[in-house]
Amino acid sequence: MHSVEDSGSKMNIQEFKDFACASIDYIADYCENIRNFPVLPSVAPGYLSRALPKCAPEKGEHWNHIMEDLDRNIIPGLTHWHSPYFHAFFPTGQSYPAIIGELFMAGIGAVATKWDSSPAVVELEVIVMDWLAKILGLPEEFLNCSEGPGGGLIQNAASESTLVGILSASHKKIQQFRIENPLMDEWEIRGKLVAYTSKESNSSVEKAGLIASVKMRLLPTDQNGSLRGSVLEEAIRSDKINGLVPFCVVASLGTTGVCSMDNIAELGKICESEKMWLHIDAAYAGTALSCPEYRHLINGIEHVDSFNFNPHKWMLTNGDCSALWFRNTTYVELAFKTKAALSVPQFKPELEHRQIPDVRRFRALKLWFVIRIYGVEGIQQHVRRHIALANYMEELVSGDSRFSVVVSNLGVVCFRLLEDESVTQLILERIAMKKCIYIMPYYYKKQLLFRFVVCSRFSTRADIQKSWDEIVNATNEVLITIANSKDPVSTV
């Protein structure tokens, strides 16, 4: 009878090395040839269920067979987010240093709760978060190494960071309000809490309000998509009259749709006056702060209580890796620290009390790899190159009299066709049908726009030109069909 080791039911060290080498080669070839893949898959729902067995294998398989299935069944069903022709949503971070960082994270398999559970996991995160804050030009008060109570840590996503900010803010406001109104209990106060964000903010902000069980008001923006102080003041005044307790503002530095910037300076002064928490969601645009010429975007940062951005969007770092800083970590620790955790700390900061999960992965490792390999200059070059490519796209759009640029911010260009919106819809459908590029429709100020984002780190001017040519060709085809048909909607 064979032993477990001889049965082939587990991978030995040599097989692991062979599998790992083959996998690295596969990933490298995938990145090298990513332009050859259609950016969108041509599969129908349920395709994978039809291709794979209904039950797990009874006996282990050789890794070669798994690689064959990967090639045959998985890759054809992927949307290739790192394709130079992917222009939807926002960038999702990826780079060779980050990939290696992920490999080490998985291979070492370290996690941490308190410092003594894995000292290097905790201490490297503290160090890297300070490096990152300095790269962005954040005030010293946000650093872990500062003498004050500020500090930062890595969360899973911007949505989680927003939730942590809202929960910290609500806890702080409830404690303050109970001092002023000792006859009211916590749940009575909680039912009156109201937070504010703009109608252009990410849907995760509204979701965070739902999870935190607080009212979230979506406020209108100005002509540039920015939430302004006067609008916030009026909302606060109205809510106070109705007996509500304003406690938090979630401002966007780079909204999801058009990458607009809320006026942090105006909002911050009001928050300070009203003793309200100001959280900044800079998930995408925060990376631009690595370049000094974009630091003006955080004018008013002196009023901010918590600040978040995602290195796993634009800063070349594979997810999950969302950076969150607090001006005063006392409030998040009061909100999250349980009685069971009350003990003498071996190391400060105690990051485990600034997050929702109890356990944290070694996410700082991949960020450390990226920062060390690219350096600050490499990160800046990446940002500037993407913005230059977006500017090139804006030039191409502006050079065609049939189109008009509506908004262009950082790596995001939104434009419209000077025709009826039904024509725009037909063009978007034709582009989607061809699957050569991936762009998103977006309604902004009641206008249907083409939303184009420079996403891939592989993108070149030639790729932007090719993507623009696809848009132009689809436009020409639709307009010709309309001109030759009495019922264009039914024939296109």
Side-chain angles (χ1 to χ4, degrees):
M1 186 173 68
H2 293 291
S3 68
V4 174
E5 286 75 10
D6 294 332
S7 68
S9 62
K10 72 174 186 179
M11 181 174 285
N12 63 36
I13 189 66
Q14 188 56 52
E15 289 172 329
F16 167 68
K17 288 180 178 180
D18 293 342
F19 192 7
C21 288
S23 299
I24 291 293
D25 286 343
Y26 190 100
I27 292 166
D29 290 343
Y30 170 79
C31 292
E32 177 106 11
N33 298 294
I34 197 166
R35 286 180 179 81
N36 299 331
F37 294 98
V39 65
L40 289 166
S42 297
V43 295
Y47 90 97
L48 200 55
S49 297
R50 292 187 289 272
L52 298 184
K54 300 301 179 186
C55 299
E58 290 294 329
K59 295 184 178 180
E61 302 177 61
H62 193 276
W63 60 264
N64 270 329
H65 298 154
I66 301 171
M67 293 288 278
E68 289 169 2
D69 265 353
L70 177 73
D71 215 34
R72 183 189 306 113
N73 296 315
I74 303 301
I75 296 296
L78 292 178
T79 296
H80 298 284
W81 282 62
H82 302 286
S83 167
Y85 311 120
F86 181 98
H87 304 293
F89 310 112
F90 277 125
T92 179
Q94 189 248 38
S95 67
Y96 297 130
I99 292 169
I100 299 299
E102 286 278 343
L103 177 63
F104 274 94
M105 282 174 60
I108 294 170
V111 297
T113 52
K114 299 183 294 183
W115 174 86
D116 58 359
S117 65
S118 202
V121 174
V122 176
E123 293 201 26
L124 186 62
E125 184 164 341
V126 170
I127 292 166
V128 167
M129 285 298 293
D130 282 356
W131 282 11
L132 203 53
K134 293 174 183 177
I135 291 172
L136 301 189
L138 296 183
E140 186 178 347
E141 302 95 277
F142 286 98
L143 273 60
N144 291 303
C145 64
S146 66
E147 293 183 1
L153 76 164
I154 301 174
Q155 305 279 358
N156 291 313
S159 52
E160 184 178 39
S161 295
T162 300
L163 177 59
V164 170
I166 289 176
L167 291 172
S168 304
S170 63
H171 186 273
K172 179 185 178 183
K173 176 56 73 172
I174 288 169
Q175 302 311 309
Q176 289 176 341
F177 205 79
R178 287 188 71 184
I179 293 172
E180 299 168 3
N181 301 269
L183 298 181
M184 294 181 68
D185 64 30
E186 176 179 336
W187 294 105
E188 187 179 359
I189 300 169
R190 188 176 294 278
K192 296 177 178 293
L193 294 179
V194 58
Y196 306 90
T197 192
S198 87
K199 290 182 177 179
E200 295 294 325
S201 67
N202 190 274
S203 61
S204 64
V205 178
E206 189 175 3
K207 183 186 289 186
L210 289 173
I211 296 171
S213 298
V214 296
K215 299 176 181 66
M216 179 69 69
R217 285 195 58 182
L218 307 182
L219 303 180
T221 60
D222 67 10
Q223 67 276 12
N224 297 315
S226 175
L227 177 59
R228 304 299 300 271
S230 58
V231 175
L232 177 62
E233 278 185 317
E234 176 56 30
I236 292 172
R237 185 192 66 80
S238 174
D239 285 338
K240 280 185 169 182
I241 291 173
N242 291 320
L244 298 178
V245 180
F247 79 100
C248 180
V249 173
V250 179
S252 299
L253 194 71
T255 58
T256 300
V258 298
C259 196
S260 55
M261 313 290 170
D262 290 340
N263 194 308
I264 298 173
E266 291 181 0
L267 301 177
K269 290 177 182 177
I270 296 167
C271 287
E272 193 168 292
S273 173
E274 296 286 341
K275 297 181 180 179
M276 294 168 59
W277 188 285
L278 179 56
H279 174 81
I280 303 299
D281 175 9
Y284 161 70
T287 300
L289 302 176
S290 63
C291 302
E293 63 267 31
Y294 296 108
R295 299 267 171 83
H296 66 275
L297 296 175
I298 52 171
N299 287 343
I301 189 70
E302 66 273 12
H303 304 294
V304 171
D305 294 283
S306 51
F307 181 94
N308 165 252
F309 93 107
N310 289 346
H312 68 229
K313 275 195 169 64
W314 203 8
M315 199 178 268
L316 301 158
T317 305
N318 292 52
D320 51 357
C321 187
S322 183
L324 173 63
W325 290 271
F326 297 91
R327 182 177 297 278
N328 189 337
T329 60
T330 302
Y331 301 115
V332 65
E333 291 179 2
L334 286 172
F336 284 27
K337 193 169 186 176
T338 62
K339 291 181 180 179
L342 294 175
S343 60
V344 178
Q346 293 177 282
F347 177 80
K348 286 191 174 183
E350 298 177 280
L351 300 183
E352 68 272 20
H353 302 311
R354 304 177 187 177
Q355 61 176 25
I356 294 171
D358 289 328
V359 176
R360 55 197 312 97
R361 298 171 66 223
F362 201 179
R363 291 175 295 215
L365 194 62
K366 58 188 169 185
L367 191 53
W368 189 52
F369 279 30
V370 169
I371 295 173
R372 291 191 65 183
I373 295 292
Y374 278 92
V376 177
E377 288 184 358
I379 293 169
Q380 291 172 338
Q381 288 170 6
H382 172 68
V383 170
R384 289 168 179 151
R385 189 172 64 83
H386 267 203
I387 293 174
L389 291 174
N391 292 340
Y392 178 55
M393 180 64 182
E394 185 180 356
E395 290 174 15
L396 293 173
V397 175
S398 298
D400 190 322
S401 60
R402 299 172 298 178
F403 294 91
S404 174
V405 175
V406 177
V407 179
S408 181
N409 288 321
L410 301 179
V412 182
V413 183
C414 296
F415 54 97
R416 62 182 291 262
L417 180 73
L418 302 178
E419 296 277 352
D420 188 83
E421 283 188 359
S422 62
V423 181
T424 299
Q425 188 63 51
L426 291 171
I427 295 169
L428 287 164
E429 289 172 2
R430 187 171 290 259
I431 292 170
M433 179 182 65
K434 290 185 174 182
K435 302 180 187 297
C436 295
I437 64 172
Y438 188 18
I439 61 173
M440 298 290 292
Y442 187 72
Y443 273 98
Y444 177 68
K445 305 294 183 183
K446 299 182 179 180
Q447 290 183 323
L448 178 60
L449 307 180
F450 297 84
R451 180 181 177 275
F452 185 100
V453 187
V454 180
C455 290
S456 173
R457 67 182 176 91
F458 302 112
S459 293
T460 65
R461 281 174 66 96
D463 294 316
I464 301 300
Q465 180 68 61
K466 182 176 179 179
S467 295
W468 172 242
D469 290 343
E470 288 290 333
I471 296 171
V472 169
N473 291 340
T475 301
N476 292 340
E477 291 167 5
V478 167
L479 292 178
I480 289 171
T481 303
I482 289 174
N484 294 332
S485 172
K486 294 180 181 179
D487 186 11
V489 174
S490 64
T491 58
V492 173

